[in-house]
Amino acid sequence: MKSEAKSSVLWSGIQNIANQGIHFIITVIIARLLTPEDYGLIAMLAIFFGLAQAFIDSGLSGALIQKKNCTDKDFNSVFVFAVSVSVILYLLLFICAPLIAKLYKNDLLISLTRVYLFSLVINAIGIVPMTIMHKNLQFKQFAYITTAINIFSGVVAIITAYNGLAYWALVIQIMITSCLSTIAYFFVTKWKPSFEFSMESFKSMISFGFPVMLTSVVHAIYNNLYSLVIGAKYDSRELGLYNRAYSFSSLVPTTFSNFSMRAMFPVLARAQDNKEELKNKVLEMLHLSLYVVVPINVYLLVNCHDIIMIVLGDKWLDLVPYLMILCVSCLSYIYTNIHMTTFKIIGKTKNLFVSETIRKLLGLLTIIITVPYGVMVMVYGLLVYSILDVIISAFILDYSFSIGFFKQLKASFTPVLFSVISGFVCWGIMLVFTNLYVRFAICTLSFGFCYLALSLLVKERGLYFIKNYFK
């Protein structure tokens, strides 16, 4: 299992790092060609996409991975269900496109909704072969596929944005990615659907998948609620600024956490009966994730003004205050994603749903309280909520699986402390230098050197884990 886990994490990591690196470079180029308003239009549809995706999957992809002995009936039942639901939901959204446009007071969303959301159907067709690849730990092939497709779709998007297609460049990028990915999954797995639906097979998996689906629905509603409220109450520019700030601040936490959890989920699922080993692995993964992610987000927080000026230009400077706060609040994803994955591994998806519901209801209350006072107050409210989110999630996991809350805090101590110290060093240097590029270079080097020096001084286990991993 150790060899499988190492290979899974390695290739899942390569895939995610490569894809996110490519995605970041492409996003930077496109952002220089487009405006916050263009990104705001796409963000307005995020809640509809997220909700539909949750219903289409219904937790069944996770059920296929969690189930030890899957049959062809299982795969085909999920395929028929996912495609059928995707077609129904797309037709519903197609009809409701004028209502969506009316909600946001923007008629451009009628055609945008009808084109962009067709990707739901395309993605649904590829759910089963993609799941088969994950279940079989084919992360190496997955890395090749997604990296190549993202490069191609990104280049096309840049060309179309340069030629004045504005927000349609983003839609074209999404559609190309969905189409080529689905084709590639089928080609690699050689899986062919027989369109055979077994109610018995479906029932055996939905008991696992239904709470996951409900959790995903709650998650999708809350995660996109800020976009919905900001887009409806304010305008596409404010939404575009918030959306980009959230995207940049959540990039590393979500990327690193998702690839590590996705790679470890099928491996740890095979050892779900070994409680103590699973506990130790969860705490180890939490510490390693924080060791990698926290310093990056703290560095971004301290140096975000210079980074935005150099990377995106001064037309995006208004997102800096949002970015600084979100760099802290997005760290909560590391904790909650590990908690959610652990619930799935031990099969307590009902506890997962309860945890998600309680936390998101609190988040909804936060939005209701802060929305009358402007976007900036809403972002501060998100920061407060993210702290409470981690505390509630950690205590429910402790109740369900006896992973102590204070043990989780202990796993967080050195990454947070070393990052804060390095951040103060970086901030002090910023006060000395006035040249933008010189200041950026020296701050970057000093932050990295300080964090590494502190890690070596105390023989930080996160550093030595990474070092030994690649031996």
Side-chain angles (χ1 to χ4, degrees):
M1 183 187 297
K2 185 176 180 180
S3 177
E4 285 183 308
K6 185 172 181 177
S7 177
S8 298
V9 173
L10 177 61
W11 281 106
S12 183
I14 290 172
Q15 179 250 322
N16 274 271
I17 292 171
N19 281 335
Q20 292 300 334
I22 292 165
H23 177 72
F24 178 76
I25 293 171
I26 290 170
T27 297
V28 167
I29 297 172
I30 295 175
R32 284 185 166 272
L33 298 171
L34 303 183
T35 65
E37 288 84 355
D38 293 324
Y39 279 94
L41 287 171
I42 302 298
M44 287 174 176
L45 299 177
I47 189 168
F48 302 103
F49 185 92
L51 277 173
Q53 194 66 52
F55 281 109
I56 291 167
D57 183 88
S58 290
L60 295 176
S61 59
L64 287 174
I65 294 175
Q66 197 264 355
K67 191 173 183 179
K68 292 182 179 179
N69 299 305
C70 288
T71 65
D72 202 46
K73 283 186 178 181
D74 296 328
F75 292 127
N76 276 286
S77 297
V78 173
F79 178 81
V80 172
F81 175 84
V83 174
S84 300
V85 173
S86 71
V87 171
I88 293 170
L89 290 176
Y90 172 71
L91 291 175
L92 180 62
L93 290 166
F94 186 96
I95 294 169
C96 293
L99 297 178
I100 295 173
K102 187 177 181 180
L103 171 67
Y104 290 113
K105 302 179 182 65
N106 195 322
D107 289 338
L108 294 174
L109 291 172
I110 297 176
S111 56
L112 193 60
T113 298
R114 291 171 173 172
V115 176
Y116 168 45
L117 294 184
F118 186 71
S119 62
L120 289 166
V121 179
I122 301 171
N123 292 339
I125 295 171
I127 279 180
V128 170
M130 182 182 70
T131 302
I132 291 173
M133 291 185 70
H134 288 167
K135 186 175 180 67
N136 295 336
L137 306 179
Q138 294 177 286
F139 292 106
K140 183 176 182 178
Q141 295 91 324
F142 194 78
Y144 289 145
I145 290 170
T146 52
T147 302
I149 291 173
N150 283 338
I151 292 173
F152 177 76
S153 63
V155 170
V156 173
I158 291 170
I159 294 171
T160 52
Y162 180 78
N163 284 282
L165 269 69
Y167 54 86
W168 285 112
L170 302 174
V171 176
I172 290 170
Q173 181 184 17
I174 292 166
M175 296 299 291
I176 291 175
T177 301
S178 295
C179 290
L180 295 183
S181 296
T182 297
I183 293 170
Y185 299 151
F186 276 100
F187 180 79
V188 171
T189 60
K190 310 296 182 185
W191 182 77
K192 296 179 181 179
S194 63
F195 302 96
E196 177 186 5
F197 183 82
S198 169
M199 182 57 71
E200 181 182 354
S201 174
F202 180 76
K203 286 181 178 178
S204 69
M205 291 183 290
I206 200 64
S207 60
F208 174 93
F210 187 68
V212 176
M213 183 268 286
L214 292 177
T215 301
S216 298
V217 168
V218 172
H219 197 65
I221 292 173
Y222 178 77
N223 277 3
N224 295 294
L225 201 54
Y226 275 83
S227 294
L228 176 66
V229 172
I230 293 171
K233 185 172 176 61
Y234 298 101
D235 54 44
S236 59
R237 175 177 171 76
E238 284 292 331
L239 177 55
L241 291 170
Y242 167 81
N243 180 261
R244 288 298 87 198
Y246 186 86
S247 177
F248 289 138
S249 60
S250 64
L251 176 64
V252 175
T254 56
T255 299
F256 189 86
S257 183
N258 284 342
F259 91 69
S260 57
M261 291 300 99
R262 185 173 66 213
M264 293 302 294
F265 181 69
V267 175
L268 292 179
R270 300 176 188 178
Q272 55 195 273
D273 298 326
N274 193 332
K275 188 175 180 180
E276 289 305 315
E277 180 184 357
L278 185 56
K279 285 182 183 180
N280 292 332
K281 290 295 182 184
V282 169
L283 291 172
E284 182 180 315
M285 187 58 66
L286 174 62
H287 179 82
L288 176 62
S289 299
L290 292 170
Y291 180 78
V292 173
V293 173
V294 173
I296 296 174
N297 266 38
V298 170
Y299 164 76
L300 182 58
L301 183 159
V302 174
N303 210 22
C304 61
H305 179 276
D306 291 355
I307 293 172
I308 296 302
M309 278 294 296
I310 292 171
V311 174
L312 297 181
D314 56 7
K315 69 178 178 180
W316 287 93
L317 274 179
D318 287 342
L319 67 74
V320 168
Y322 301 156
L323 183 58
M324 293 178 68
I325 301 168
L326 291 170
C327 279
V328 179
S329 61
C330 284
L331 292 174
S332 65
Y333 187 81
I334 294 292
Y335 295 90
T336 55
N337 195 33
I338 287 177
H339 297 165
M340 289 174 67
T341 303
T342 306
F343 279 124
K344 292 177 185 178
I345 290 171
I346 63 179
K348 293 189 177 182
T349 53
K350 291 181 180 178
N351 297 47
L352 169 62
F353 174 64
V354 170
S355 172
E356 193 74 6
T357 302
I358 292 173
R359 289 156 42 217
K360 296 321 179 198
L361 286 175
L362 178 60
L364 177 60
L365 179 62
T366 304
I367 293 175
I368 293 172
I369 293 172
T370 58
V371 68
Y373 304 102
V375 179
M376 196 66 196
V377 176
M378 292 179 68
V379 173
Y380 274 113
L382 182 58
L383 174 61
V384 174
Y385 162 72
S386 67
I387 297 170
L388 298 176
D389 187 33
V390 171
I391 294 172
I392 294 170
S393 179
F395 273 110
I396 293 178
L397 182 64
D398 185 19
Y399 172 79
S400 305
F401 195 54
S402 302
I403 298 182
F405 175 67
F406 290 103
K407 287 184 178 179
Q408 296 179 53
L409 285 181
K410 184 179 178 182
S412 315
F413 181 72
T414 51
V416 173
L417 177 63
F418 292 172
S419 298
V420 171
I421 293 173
S422 302
F424 273 111
V425 171
C426 185
W427 177 73
I429 291 173
M430 289 180 66
L431 300 177
V432 177
F433 295 93
T434 56
N435 183 276
L436 174 64
Y437 294 96
V438 172
R439 184 172 64 220
F440 171 77
I442 294 178
C443 282
T444 302
L445 291 173
S446 63
F447 187 98
F449 176 80
C450 184
Y451 191 75
L452 181 61
L454 290 169
S455 298
L456 290 170
L457 183 64
V458 301
K459 297 182 179 180
E460 221 293 330
R461 68 181 190 272
L463 175 63
Y464 285 91
F465 177 89
I466 296 171
K467 180 182 177 182
N468 294 329
Y469 189 89
F470 291 100
K471 280 186 177 180

